[in-house]
Amino acid sequence: MANSTDKPEPIRFRFAQSLEAPQFIERAAQYAKDPRKYLEEKLGRNVLEERKHLLHIPDKVDKDIYGAGEHKANFEKHIAKLFGKESGLFFITGVQAQLAALKTHCERVGRNRAAWHVTSHLETAEAGSYKHLYGLERVLLGEKDENPSLEAIEKALSLPEDQRPAVVLLEIPNRTLGSKTYTWDQLVAISAACKKAGVIFHCDGARMWEIEPYYQKTAGKTFADVAGLFDSIYVSFYKGLRGAAGAMLMGESSLIEDAKVWQKRVGGTVITLMYEIIDDERGFNENIGTFARKWKKMDDLQRGVLEATEKFRTKDGERIISFVADPATCCQVHNVFSGYTIEELTAARDKVEEKLNVRLFERLRAKESVELMTKAERERMLETNGNNVVATEDDRKHTIEWMLAEETLEVETKVFVDAFAAFAKELVTAGAAGKQ
Amino acid sequence: MANSTDKPEPIRFRFAQSLEAPQFIERAAQYAKDPRKYLEEKLGRNVLEERKHLLHIPDKVDKDIYGAGEHKANFEKHIAKLFGKESGLFFITGVQAQLAALKTHCERVGRNRAAWHVTSHLETAEAGSYKHLYGLERVLLGEKDENPSLEAIEKALSLPEDQRPAVVLLEIPNRTLGSKTYTWDQLVAISAACKKAGVIFHCDGARMWEIEPYYQKTAGKTFADVAGLFDSIYVSFYKGLRGAAGAMLMGESSLIEDAKVWQKRVGGTVITLMYEIIDDERGFNENIGTFARKWKKMDDLQRGVLEATEKFRTKDGERIISFVADPATCCQVHNVFSGYTIEELTAARDKVEEKLNVRLFERLRAKESVELMTKAERERMLETNGNNVVATEDDRKHTIEWMLAEETLEVETKVFVDAFAAFAKELVTAGAAGKQ
């Protein structure tokens, strides 16, 4: 973004990607010309060598025609193999990938019903597509502030057959809940319960790249181990991986073949998606293997911020700045700001930016609860650029969502800590001044 | 494409675009960086000046986020204005654009039924999406070898209300029928009949760019005049315009707002489609204003080929090489080859390529009729790369589909004429030799 003054661009604790359109496309063009050379320059030969077991570096990219193309097929195979699945299918959106999976599962089972949590993308951000377009019914699982428990899922699994879901979808990790997730043992138990009940288990793995280090660290488990607990899984390429757009569905080959029919019906079989496929491969190659470090940094700065802002409390003794999840499960978190209005928070943010040239968030909003929001509000909420703002309980609680990404990975931890501490101090000082 | 010998690449009478993936993306990157400079270099300043009333040249492109972005909005406005419509909405595919339009029209009217011709894309290439996904019913119009007549349409319009379509879709021109189309007066009459019956009239204008010179020449009518006969129209950016992928739906603003909900449901609201939008704008700017010349050249070479191959007849006296439409209505036609098998046609093509370094087609197929093909066969047929092969009546009739595009516009007419004449001669000579 152009600046009319000499002041450098502030450091942003942002959610969205920062490149402008021409540079974004130019980067893809550079990669397409010679993927290996691009990656050598971007990552260095040593890093490339270290990560080569993870990467997919084609000698040559080609243009898929209506989904058929050698490069696309090889990339799909590579990702599917990483997740231990037989086949993969690229989609332009996760909406298409997941609904194709759910519809196909339901048709194969012969029961037209799927189960998911109230915070699921299917429930909040797809204008009721599952119902209005795919003719599916759904069972809502659990309560809104936590991932559905084994008990809540078992309750759905033991419904009478005409109400029982054909498929259970869990989002690993849960984006709306600040990336809260299940432990490995919990997932194993839920997977076993689904299998026992003869119910398909599908993973919304939009942020599986981000959460994998958690399963590595806590249970020594890989992408394939986690995906192995599910019958099918969808992953996204434009979030943590920073690709242009797109998603992949993985599972048995017969599932993928059936899902292709729904992809066609939904107008998802495009003359070519080569740009997205190529840029997503670039994003995958650049970012895979970096999420443990991003999580570590988020964890470090979270400890630092909590320590530095320990003393800043609301009149009810609540922390002014807190984190969800706490501790962070991955590089993406929510911050909850308690005790102040939007106007006060925004003024404090601007003061911090002025003093430290760090901008903590873009927009804020408070809502009574997700359920009370109109559909349009919920959709806007989920699509806000910059930091995404998440609903909270009262007008003195606001939430921002952000991730440690390549743009901020090299920013010193102290910069984050100082900025949040200055923000809290600013709020308290301005609040006290306002009350005089 | 790399060639291992020194022989230059043959001239191809092709259908598909010829650029390889990295060059395709690089071209978009060049355009995105500075659209005006790119176009000045590509078209020259004089041409740019001549066509400036048609073009949309932004000072700067940006990245739309979930469909919201200044550049996208301006491009949509520009195209909608060209067609005299209130609003436009970019879609990644025509399948999505048309089904969103039909579904929205049907919901607003309160009758769940649309009418189209047996050759329509909705009937042959979308895996029954209208039915299986959108829950629409359809009325088939007319007979398979001709565009539906006013009488056939009036028959549908006068059906009892519970069977009457809410919307009639016509494809202008009809791709499956070699770009055959209606005269201006016929279209006026059909439009009036729909209006009188209170039935919405929607235009499948996938090749409206290609056919507009026909309405200009025969009736002095513009894009806006033709679109003015319809309540809504969809156009495509990756065919004659040679953009990356994508389509636009245009109509009243309230229609477009409602269609956005279906776009979201269908998973068509992508994090960004900036690459497609930018490259489609490039294709539009490069190709708009060229279709009259492309049609003229197709018309010239058609006359030349018909004259040069006049004497080459099957034993039933039929022309070995004929054209559909005859005369051509635009730059895109079918050639019908009569009296020879696939093997004979392919051998003759290879001989011509050897002698003249001109390659007439990529693949051929004969089918009894479209109706007898399996759905998968029809879909493959419609998606063949290179020249697309169209079904014909018997195994001695084969059809290729091709267009005069930027790749062949500067090839001399004589090259086409000589190649087709050599092809006919080769067929006759080889046939006679085979019979000895």
Side-chain angles (χ1 to χ4, degrees), chain B residues 303-367:
Chain B
R303 287 165 204 267
V305 170
L306 287 175
E307 195 185 315
T309 60
E310 166 76 46
K311 63 179 175 190
F312 298 104
R313 301 277 173 160
T314 67
K315 60 182 188 328
D316 302 327
E318 225 179 342
R319 277 184 172 279
I320 290 175
I321 297 176
S322 56
F323 284 79
V324 179
D326 184 7
T329 59
C330 66
C331 59
Q332 180 166 323
V333 296
H334 290 180
N335 278 111
V336 182
F337 303 138
S338 299
Y340 294 89
T341 63
I342 289 187
E343 293 68 27
E344 291 165 332
L345 293 165
T346 305
R349 175 201 67 185
D350 292 346
K351 284 276 189 187
V352 172
E353 185 175 347
E354 208 174 281
K355 285 182 187 166
L356 302 178
N357 206 32
V358 173
R359 189 171 171 89
L360 278 93
F361 56 84
E362 296 304 320
R363 277 190 279 176
L364 279 171
R365 193 166 56 187
K367 291 303 300 184

Side-chain angles (χ1 to χ4, degrees), chain B residues 38-144:
Chain B
Y38 173 94
L39 291 170
E40 277 175 5
E41 283 170 12
K42 181 85 186 188
L43 300 176
R45 288 190 186 206
N46 292 344
V47 172
L48 208 60
E49 185 59 26
E50 270 167 42
R51 295 189 195 152
K52 71 176 177 191
H53 61 292
L54 288 168
L55 308 187
H56 185 252
I57 311 181
D59 291 330
K60 191 173 171 308
V61 298
D62 63 23
K63 180 179 167 185
D64 74 289
I65 303 287
Y66 289 118
E70 197 181 323
H71 173 245
K72 173 175 179 276
N74 289 337
F75 183 51
E76 286 169 337
K77 265 180 223 151
H78 181 83
I79 301 294
K81 196 176 164 199
L82 184 65
F83 284 89
K85 295 297 183 197
E86 209 177 358
S87 289
L89 180 61
F90 186 85
F91 284 81
I92 186 65
T93 57
V95 174
Q96 289 181 4
Q98 296 217 103
L99 281 164
L102 297 182
K103 183 72 178 176
T104 302
H105 284 313
C106 284
E107 288 214 322
R108 286 151 64 111
V109 170
R111 280 204 311 280
N112 216 30
R113 194 179 288 256
W116 54 69
H117 190 232
V118 62
T119 58
S120 171
H121 199 267
L122 287 124
E123 191 66 20
T124 61
E126 302 176 8
S129 179
Y130 74 88
K131 179 171 50 189
H132 299 298
L133 202 52
Y134 289 82
L136 296 174
E137 296 180 76
R138 66 98 169 77
V139 177
L140 280 185
L141 298 173
E143 304 296 325
K144 76 182 172 56

Side-chain angles (χ1 to χ4, degrees), chain B residues 214-274:
Chain B
Y214 170 85
Y215 292 105
Q216 280 282 6
K217 190 179 172 192
T218 59
K221 299 301 174 185
T222 64
F223 288 116
D225 293 328
V226 177
L229 299 176
F230 295 86
D231 296 289
S232 55
I233 178 170
Y234 128 81
V235 296
S236 175
F237 291 110
Y238 73 88
K239 300 176 177 95
L241 289 187
R242 298 313 217 199
M248 200 174 289
L249 175 66
M250 291 165 281
E252 279 181 9
S253 296
S254 66
L255 175 83
I256 296 302
E257 284 309 306
D258 288 350
K260 281 182 186 170
V261 178
W262 291 104
Q263 183 177 41
K264 177 177 279 281
R265 286 179 177 153
V266 89
T269 309
V270 183
I271 177 71
T272 185
L273 290 173
M274 66 161 169

Side-chain angles (χ1 to χ4, degrees), chain A residues 123-158:
Chain A
E123 190 66 20
T124 61
E126 303 177 8
S129 179
Y130 74 88
K131 179 170 50 187
H132 299 297
L133 203 52
Y134 288 81
L136 296 175
E137 296 180 76
R138 66 98 169 76
V139 177
L140 280 185
L141 298 173
E143 304 295 326
K144 76 181 173 56
D145 290 332
E146 291 296 333
N147 278 307
S149 63
L150 174 61
E151 291 66 36
I153 293 165
E154 279 178 332
K155 204 175 134 196
L157 296 176
S158 59

